[in-house]
Amino acid sequence: MPDVIAFGDLTSGFADHPGPAAARYRDLGLWLDLPLWRVLWDQADARPLADAVSDADRTLTYREFVAAAQARAAGFLDAGLRPGDRVILQNQNSVEFAVNLFGLLRGGMAPVMTLPAHRINEIAHLAHTAGAVGYICHDASKDFDYRGLARDLVTRAPAVQSIFVTGDPAEFSPMPDGDPESLRDVPAPDPDAPALFLVSGGTTGLPKLIARTHNDYRFNAQRSAEIAALTSRDTYLVALPAAHNFPLACPGLLGVLSVGGHTVFTDNPSPDNTFDLIEKHHVTVVALVPALAQVWTAATEWEPADISSLRLLQVGGAKLAEPDAIAANAVFGGAVQQVFGMAEGLICYTRADDDNEIVTRTQGRPMSDLDDVRIVDDNGVDVADGSEGELLVRGPYTIRGYYRADEHNARSFTGDGYYRSGDRVRRLPSGHLMVTGRIKDTIVRGGENVAADDVEENLLAHPDIRQAAVVGLPDPGLGEKICAAIVTDGPAPDLPAVRAFLADRGLATFKQPDQLRVVRSLPVTAVGKIDKRTLVAQLT
Ligand code: OOB
């Protein structure tokens, strides 16, 4: 981590698109050269009285939303924030989140989009790397007091001077609101500069900062909205953490705003809460991670609410097992869309006119014709269609480098600007991708390489196994042994029964689990993906 950062300079350490590529995206009309906040303002002129954002406490129309964001922007500036400043945003899913996000954008500040589950290690690291001067949070959630985190943060990242809290601010500042007149002096941002920062989703090491520009992120949201066929009549439920790329811009909040639709926030993604919200607000679109999709599918059996308004159930963030995709698509009337995306850029979707098999077996195809995807072997040589390899990508909304992370960038990007995703994929002749695993998610057992996902997929075919994660644990004889952690419905099979089942399915002997752990739940990341690093720590 660099010790000295030009705190005032938003673009230092930012890797932009090379001129010819940028010119092409602009000429083709993909990049609009507008500040990102215009995505809201443009619609507010067209439909001032339509509902824009709701949570359990309040609803703002488009006009009210703009007014609240303007007042908030002015308040931030009055309180000393300056255009170009980086500010850590860590709110619960709420209208307040949306007002703060657009308040920061309108004031020219660049929010760092952290999730409620992030804790001081991650927040301090992100604040330090971003050179952040501000931190925004709610006072507390059910199980965590963010003011305590703020106290740690000021000692660990002393440049963070401005702390604003919704609710009881204790020694910090309440959320500021000011006179929008003062916004007249805010300079228009460079549309090719970072508008906001996403946080990388990996489960290894500390998160990295992903600078998304006004141009690339608006394209991300609008192209996603087009594919989802969103209109002003759609209502989108934010059930995943709102600051994550998926519910934020795929198409998420920003995509829904771009067409004048309505966004409803909730902090509780469980079906007993969300199904009622779907009925109440006539929700048409929602994004889930696979574990939640599984729970929602099961809940349709007993939850009484009318959820027939739901026309698009997006599932992504981790591999949706084929049996789960089939089950979900059946109970939700063909509403499933698989989404394979990354904060770094590339988003793949299955489409409404894809046949069932494509929707249940693939993770979709890139959203833009300008996405430049390569699938390469260990030597970086392109593989034939149908063969597995690592996915590399470059394009109009994929970053050319992490923010202020030269060392990572040397590893994670090729010389000609492709992002090395670390994802192992296979491409069908139709262009659809099947994600088969992570390049590095391999167990080396007695000298043999075993891909964890191969074993997991076979375990998930067992009728009583609901979730499975396979990890390598240290072993004196083998180097690594294969441990399968499973969550079951009803009585759990024992190791010999599991091995017999896998043998019946033709799984090679050396890929058989050496150890079986039946657990009540698997540890998950901030957005709800299985967290293998924590699992290994729990199992050793
Ligand atoms: C989304 O973004 P991130 O940045 O939290 O995580 C990206 C990684 C991918 O590189 C891949 O390893 C995994 O998550 N992933 C999937 C997947 N979707 C994401 N693996 C298998 N199947 C899928 N459908 O997770 C994200 C961002 C925008 C939209 C959707 C997901």
Side-chain angles (χ1 to χ4, degrees), residues 3 14 28 55 72 85 90 136 139 149 182 204 221 229 238 306 312 323 359-360 377 427 431 455 479 496 532 536:
D3 274 326
F14 164 64
L28 290 170
D55 60 20
R72 189 57 48 87
D85 282 350
Q90 190 178 31
I136 294 173
D139 49 4
L149 190 155
S182 54
T204 47
V238 181
D306 175 6
L312 186 64
V359 171
T360 54
D377 65 18
R427 180 164 41 195
V455 188
K532 289 197 171 177
V536 169

Side-chain angles (χ1 to χ4, degrees), residues 53-60 68 72 94-97 99 166:
V53 280
S54 298
D55 60 20
D57 301 325
R58 58 176 167 155
T59 291
L60 299 181
R72 189 57 48 87
S94 56
V95 168
E96 189 75 352
F97 163 85
V99 170
T166 296

Side-chain angles (χ1 to χ4, degrees), residues 249-336:
C250 304
L253 171 67
L254 298 183
V256 174
L257 289 174
S258 77
V259 299
H262 181 198
T263 300
V264 177
F265 292 91
T266 181
D267 259 333
N268 173 2
S270 71
D272 53 348
N273 172 54
T274 47
F275 284 23
D276 286 346
L277 288 174
I278 294 171
E279 177 174 319
K280 177 174 170 202
H281 294 282
H282 307 289
V283 169
T284 56
V285 184
V286 69
L288 300 177
V289 290
L292 271 175
Q294 222 177 31
V295 175
W296 281 39
T297 301
T300 56
E301 298 244 338
W302 62 79
E303 287 295 340
D306 175 6
I307 56 166
S308 57
S309 57
L310 203 59
R311 67 166 183 85
L312 186 64
L313 184 91
Q314 301 185 286
V315 189
K319 177 77 176 270
L320 178 63
E322 193 184 342
D324 292 341
I326 293 170
N329 215 29
V331 304
F332 290 102
V336 170

Side-chain angles (χ1 to χ4, degrees), residues 244-246 317-319 339-343 347 423 435 438 529:
H244 187 270
N245 191 29
F246 192 7
K319 177 77 176 270
V339 185
F340 163 47
M342 50 204 73
I347 309 289
D423 291 320
V435 182
R438 295 281 302 162
K529 309 180 191 199

